[in-house]
Amino acid sequence: MNYTLQQLRIFKTIAETKSITKASEILHLTQPAVSIQLKKLQEQFDIPLTEVIGRQLYITEFGNEIAQVSERILNEIQTIRYRSRAYKGQLVGTLRISIVSTAKYVMPYFLSGFMREHQGVDLQMDVTNKAGVIGSLEENAVDFALVSVLPEQFDMDMVTLMKNKLFLVGSKAPVEKGRNVKKSDFEKLPFIFRENGSATRRAMVDFLQANGIRTGKRMQLTSNEAVKQAVIAGLGYSIMPIIGLKNELNMGSLQILPVKGLPISTTWNLIWLKSKKFSPIAEAYLEYVRAEKDAIIREKFQWYEGY
């Protein structure tokens, strides 16, 4: 037999997802490439690894056994890689981070330099909402989390990174140029909200309630990116963090609308449980953030400070 590690990795992913399409997305490969490697692996066995019933892909009993063996082989290869780097005095292992969805526009810039410097470190980053981040902390499943609203139920330490600013945005102004959007204007505007559990939604709702503002038609979407695309398409208006709107603001597909009391300003904080026992990787990353954060903000987020 002459199967490759790539074939085993692909088949393990197919077995986990029960889908060539999903496996190709996870592995960042084309569907034809995944199908070809599956076919080459199958050619080395007389017993089917998969079967298709209707349009659904199923893994055979034999295929499940091969998937389990593949996982063990790939884990051993990973162990060899870690041990090889450890003998060279390099950091090895996984850095685990949970972030709220809007933080995907922030966190990568505070990771890229560290990951380049430490080739033996893998990254596992869960992008979720505030409720998901809290769950990760409760389960001690992560080293760090990045949030703009601090959870109140934990005893935490933190490093403050940068401001998070939320403005009213739309694809076009609902009032004449130069005039603020007033309380009476909001009642005519279709408004797009994030889902329950989102810190962005909480900030928006708090602002509207504190100012006695009622909006027009309401819509709810489950990601910041979905809200952004809906606002660009003219479905409605929203109060959004502008950290993810740089290109849209520059191109004019979105504009900030002046409203008394906005922007809402919070702070991005890298947090961790005070009782957390850091691994060498987590300790090294915290040192990196403390040393480099000001330079990263100056280099990558200078545009943002002007708003």
Side-chain angles (χ1 to χ4, degrees):
M1 291 189 178
N2 191 30
Y3 40 76
T4 67
L5 291 176
Q6 178 72 336
Q7 289 168 0
L8 296 181
R9 185 175 293 108
I10 287 172
F11 183 65
K12 181 180 86 73
T13 307
I14 292 171
E16 290 170 347
T17 61
K18 307 294 190 297
S19 167
I20 289 176
T21 300
K22 291 179 181 177
S24 67
E25 291 172 355
I26 291 171
L27 296 168
H28 303 290
L29 297 170
T30 64
Q31 290 184 42
V34 170
S35 296
I36 289 170
Q37 292 305 314
L38 174 61
K39 182 175 183 293
K40 287 183 177 179
L41 181 64
Q42 178 62 77
E43 288 171 351
Q44 300 179 69
F45 299 101
D46 295 330
I47 305 172
L49 299 171
T50 64
E51 57 184 348
V52 177
I53 300 177
R55 300 185 66 180
Q56 178 63 47
L57 177 73
Y58 293 90
I59 310 301
T60 64
E61 182 178 355
F62 177 67
N64 280 319
E65 291 184 9
I66 296 301
Q68 292 169 14
V69 172
S70 298
E71 183 173 13
R72 290 199 296 271
I73 291 171
L74 293 169
N75 286 341
E76 289 299 322
I77 294 297
Q78 184 82 320
T79 300
I80 291 171
R81 184 170 72 88
Y82 282 162
R83 288 179 178 173
S84 174
R85 293 187 182 279
Y87 270 101
K88 296 178 182 178
Q90 298 178 11
L91 285 175
V92 293
T94 303
L95 178 65
R96 294 177 172 85
I97 298 175
S98 182
I99 66 173
V100 294
S101 59
T102 310
K104 66 178 176 284
Y105 302 111
V106 176
M107 195 72 224
Y109 295 100
F110 291 90
L111 283 165
S112 57
F114 180 81
M115 297 302 294
R116 283 195 301 270
E117 184 179 345
H118 300 287
Q119 295 295 315
V121 174
D122 293 326
L123 174 65
Q124 181 178 309
M125 187 165 72
D126 181 32
V127 182
T128 180
N129 60 17
K130 184 184 176 185
V133 170
I134 289 173
S136 296
L137 289 168
E138 283 179 332
E139 295 168 7
N140 194 31
V142 294
D143 300 306
F144 302 99
L146 186 64
V147 296
S148 60
V149 177
L150 296 174
E152 298 176 353
Q153 58 267 61
F154 302 120
D155 192 11
M156 297 174 306
D157 281 327
M158 71 185 75
V159 173
T160 296
L161 298 185
M162 55 187 286
K163 288 190 179 299
N164 180 37
K165 305 172 188 178
L166 291 82
F167 290 83
L168 177 66
V169 296
S171 59
K172 60 182 180 180
V175 297
E176 56 267 27
K177 189 174 181 180
R179 181 169 79 78
N180 279 15
V181 179
K182 296 180 180 179
K183 181 176 176 179
S184 57
D185 297 319
F186 274 88
E187 297 180 359
K188 306 169 189 174
L189 300 183
F191 233 73
I192 304 172
F193 290 78
R194 286 285 306 277
E195 77 285 1
N196 288 323
S198 161
T200 297
R201 179 190 178 99
R202 182 72 267 161
M204 182 192 303
V205 170
D206 286 348
F207 170 78
L208 296 174
Q209 290 179 346
N211 290 276
I213 295 173
R214 299 182 64 182
T215 64
K217 181 178 180 178
R218 291 188 170 208
M219 290 164 271
Q220 179 176 299
L221 300 176
T222 55
S223 77
N224 209 64
E225 190 65 26
V227 173
K228 179 172 72 174
Q229 295 303 326
V231 175
I232 291 172
L235 275 176
Y237 298 80
S238 191
I239 295 175
M240 298 183 65
I242 63 163
I243 191 67
L245 307 181
K246 179 182 179 181
N247 292 336
E248 290 74 19
L249 292 172
N250 285 342
M251 292 187 298
S253 56
L254 286 178
Q255 55 184 295
I256 293 174
L257 309 173
V259 178
K260 184 179 179 181
L262 293 181
I264 301 167
S265 186
T266 59
T267 305
W268 290 114
N269 295 289
L270 187 71
I271 65 173
W272 62 94
L273 297 177
K274 188 167 284 189
S275 58
K276 180 73 177 177
K277 304 296 184 186
F278 277 153
S279 67
I281 291 172
E283 287 183 352
Y285 180 65
L286 185 56
E287 290 178 8
Y288 168 83
V289 169
R290 284 173 168 159
E292 300 295 333
K293 66 168 188 165
D294 291 340
I296 293 169
I297 292 169
R298 283 195 304 271
E299 180 182 353
K300 303 298 183 181
F301 297 101
Q302 190 172 14
W303 70 271
Y304 184 72
E305 298 302 316
Y307 287 96

